Amino acid sequence: MRFRAGAHTDVGRVREGNEDGFMADDPLFAVADGMGGHQGGEVASRLALEALGRGAPRSPGDGDPSGRLAEVVREANLAVLEKASTDPALHGMGTTLTAVVAGDQRIHLAHVGDSRAYLLRDGQLRRLTKDHTVVERMVEQGRLTPEEAEIHPQRSILTNALGVDADIRVDEATHDIRPGDRLLLCSDGLTGMVGEEEIAAILTDNADPQVAAEALVAAANEAGGQDNITALVLDAVEDDESSVARPSATTREAPTPPGAAEAAPRRRDWQRIPAEPQRRRIPARIVLWVLVPLIVIAAGLWAVKELFVDNQWFVGIDEETGNVALYRGIPAEPLGISLASVVEVSDIAAAEVRRFPAWRGLEDGITADSREDAENIIRQMAADLEAQRRAEEPTPREGAEEKPRDGAEEQNP
């Protein structure tokens, strides 16, 4: 069995750069969603995909695909972790990774983070992965319903990702597959903006996988495009049918790392690049047609800020001190207009708390329902740091004498 693939990735309407990446190299497919700032997120997703491309199983001779795939994902985690530890500019970066390798009428799945894999069969869409997020854990504990989780302000805070810890949990699964099945691998930039019913409708209505992938990304942008968006659509076909992996025009073939050509056959590790802007002269009348609406929009945004935004709260990073700070407003700057102001700067270093998976979303702002909720988030960060310090303190040996304090001199036995 082979796959016909269509793929598309887009920066969205809010972010400045695209930290997503994907791979389409039948029988190996994957989506990675980087984090840690524009530079760090790009590097993390690229490193993970490169490591996956070098080591993932491709044929029956590669051994058990199910076990080997998870092992390669762990190797990718170490590659991201090592790079982050040797380059201060990349400290704290990480990435999700959802990968599939196909063979013998089955697919083998390995998953870390909150990107997702879906199976569309006979018009029914079924999720194959579980999000590694704080909100998903709250659903499992019965503290939230699935419907509440979809709109929870902390739904993007991860509990598991590549590059966070040397020992990560990799979800593994094997699923039967048959001709006519359609798979979707996607980043949370799609699922955070488009509901599963609409995703199923788009996958059902668009027979060509490339058209379906582009339609999914367009739907996420129409819904607001709050994050980078990546969709990889895979159609299972018989071996004698055409099998084509067609990355979209905004992707390129990632360069082979030094030494990789000698170590293994060259892989097609598809990674996106930004499109080149076209420069052309714009008539003066068109400038006026555009400028006047922009002024009206800017005035409307200012009114929204006064009436709505100033009643919102979130926890972010103070640019001057690098510490955790309490903000009033929302973490966005449409048309260059800041919609947030610092209310209080804590003495907690952001770099320290971002080591915790639960607070990896700090750079983008962790929204809260009220000022009290935001202050509770900061208190929880402080409590997490204190618990870590206590855990790292050496335990005195049993029977050992306590070190004298207050200038007292030690007594010889």
Side-chain angles (χ1 to χ4, degrees):
M1 181 175 298
R2 307 291 289 174
F3 282 95
R4 289 192 305 118
H8 192 54
T9 185
D10 190 79
V11 68
R13 295 186 173 181
V14 175
R15 305 289 180 135
E16 295 182 355
N18 192 345
E19 300 172 51
D20 284 3
F22 66 85
M23 174 185 294
D25 187 10
D26 194 0
L28 177 64
F29 305 92
V31 165
D33 180 359
M35 54 194 173
H38 177 45
Q39 180 183 7
E42 272 191 299
V43 173
S45 60
R46 175 176 56 81
L47 286 175
L49 292 173
E50 288 176 351
L52 184 70
R54 288 193 300 268
R58 304 298 181 102
S59 67
D62 290 335
D64 179 16
S66 58
R68 177 58 184 161
L69 184 60
E71 180 183 342
V72 173
V73 171
R74 294 186 182 95
E75 293 171 359
N77 171 61
L78 295 179
V80 176
L81 195 63
E82 180 181 3
K83 183 65 175 179
S85 65
T86 57
D87 189 339
L90 301 177
H91 178 71
M93 72 176 180
T95 184
T96 71
L97 184 61
T98 300
V100 165
V101 63
D104 299 329
Q105 309 297 314
R106 293 180 297 175
I107 58 168
H108 306 287
L109 176 68
H111 166 72
V112 178
D114 64 350
S115 295
R116 292 182 180 179
Y118 288 92
L119 171 64
L120 181 71
R121 173 178 290 173
D122 299 329
Q124 300 297 315
L125 186 68
R126 177 164 64 98
R127 178 148 53 117
L128 304 181
T129 55
K130 180 176 67 175
D131 294 346
H132 296 161
T133 62
V134 170
V135 167
E136 187 80 5
R137 180 182 295 173
M138 294 170 70
V139 172
E140 294 175 354
Q141 295 171 346
R143 298 166 57 190
L144 287 177
T145 66
E147 293 74 20
E148 291 171 334
E150 291 296 326
I151 59 173
H152 196 280
Q154 298 180 13
R155 61 186 178 275
S156 296
I157 299 180
L158 297 178
T159 58
N160 191 29
L162 274 68
V164 174
D165 196 291
D167 184 18
I168 61 169
R169 185 180 88 251
V170 180
D171 288 352
E172 307 172 53
T174 298
H175 300 276
D176 293 332
I177 203 78
R178 64 194 189 198
D181 285 348
R182 171 167 277 188
L183 294 171
L184 168 66
L185 305 183
C186 61
S187 64
D188 71 327
L190 172 63
T191 55
M193 304 304 301
V194 183
E196 291 186 352
E197 289 187 5
E198 185 176 355
I199 290 175
I202 293 173
L203 291 174
T204 302
D205 294 343
N206 296 277
D208 185 277
Q210 183 63 35
V211 173
E214 293 174 0
L216 288 168
V217 172
N221 271 325
E222 289 173 4
Q226 297 294 315
D227 200 352
N228 306 147
I229 314 153
T230 298
L232 180 56
V233 179
L234 312 172
D235 287 348
V237 298
E238 296 287 1
D239 288 336
D240 57 351
E241 295 186 50
S242 174
S243 174
V244 182
R246 304 191 310 177
S248 67
T250 56
T251 66
R252 66 174 171 83
E253 187 171 347
T256 304
E262 295 79 16
R266 190 166 180 265
R267 308 299 190 189
R268 290 176 293 162
D269 298 346
W270 301 107
Q271 180 75 20
R272 58 102 196 102
I273 58 175
E276 290 285 344
Q278 297 182 351
R279 296 182 178 180
R280 51 188 174 184
R281 293 183 178 180
I282 303 176
R285 65 179 181 277
I286 296 180
V287 173
L288 290 176
W289 292 346
V290 173
L291 185 59
V292 172
L294 286 178
I295 294 174
V296 174
I297 292 172
L301 287 174
W302 183 258
V304 169
K305 180 179 184 298
E306 293 296 316
L307 298 176
F308 169 74
V309 173
D310 284 347
N311 293 318
Q312 309 301 310
W313 302 88
F314 70 93
V315 178
I317 303 174
D318 178 56
E319 294 183 358
E320 295 184 3
T321 64
N323 287 356
V324 175
L326 173 66
Y327 281 83
R328 165 178 271 173
I330 59 176
E333 293 186 359
L335 300 179
I337 300 175
S338 176
L339 299 181
S341 58
V342 176
V343 175
E344 183 178 349
V345 179
S346 73
D347 58 358
I348 302 173
E352 294 187 11
V353 297
R354 288 178 62 206
R355 293 180 298 175
F356 295 90
W359 309 122
R360 294 299 292 271
L362 181 62
E363 183 175 2
D364 297 325
I366 301 173
T367 57
D369 294 333
S370 64
R371 175 169 181 165
E372 181 180 0
D373 287 344
E375 291 172 342
N376 287 337
I377 291 173
I378 296 175
R379 292 191 190 98
Q380 184 60 52
M381 290 178 177
D384 289 347
L385 287 174
E386 180 62 24
Q388 183 186 56
R389 293 191 187 101
R390 291 179 180 177
E392 293 175 350
E393 289 180 355
T395 304
R397 292 178 300 173
E398 184 177 356
E401 293 184 359
E402 185 179 359
K403 184 178 179 180
R405 292 173 295 178
D406 301 329
E409 297 182 356
E410 297 185 8
Q411 300 296 326
N412 293 324

